[in-house]
Amino acid sequence: MKPSLRFASLVIARIKQSLHLLKEDLRQWVPQRAPVLVPIPIPAERRTRKSDRRHRARGD
């Protein structure tokens, strides 16, 4: 009876190892979640009155 228990435990250990390896292989096939892109706030340039006048003069 002991040899059959030993054989059964070896078979179960082999099955667990195979399932673990299969799980690792399947993870490579699953599409990975894309990283979340976070917008970086860029402050708008503050224009002085002098620069506004300069631009208006060009259009005239």
Side-chain angles (χ1 to χ4, degrees), residues 1-9:
M1 186 103 175
K2 274 192 174 182
S4 62
L5 287 176
R6 172 101 173 121
F7 179 73
S9 66

Side-chain angles (χ1 to χ4, degrees), residues 43-49 51-52:
E45 292 183 21
R46 294 183 182 176
R47 294 186 179 180
T48 61
R49 291 182 183 175
S51 63
D52 287 342

Side-chain angles (χ1 to χ4, degrees), residues 18-60:
S18 298
L19 288 175
H20 180 71
L21 292 174
L22 179 63
K23 185 178 174 183
E24 293 291 323
D25 288 342
L26 289 177
R27 278 189 185 161
Q28 295 176 359
W29 286 88
V30 176
Q32 300 296 318
R33 182 181 286 183
V36 177
L37 299 178
V38 180
I40 301 172
I42 300 173
E45 292 183 21
R46 294 183 182 176
R47 294 186 179 180
T48 61
R49 291 182 183 175
K50 291 179 182 177
S51 63
D52 287 342
R53 288 181 189 156
R54 227 182 306 152
H55 291 295
R56 286 183 190 151
R58 285 182 186 173
D60 290 337

Side-chain angles (χ1 to χ4, degrees), residues 6-20:
R6 172 101 173 121
F7 179 73
S9 66
L10 289 174
V11 169
I12 290 172
R14 179 66 71 143
I15 290 173
K16 285 183 180 180
Q17 182 182 16
S18 298
L19 288 175
H20 180 71

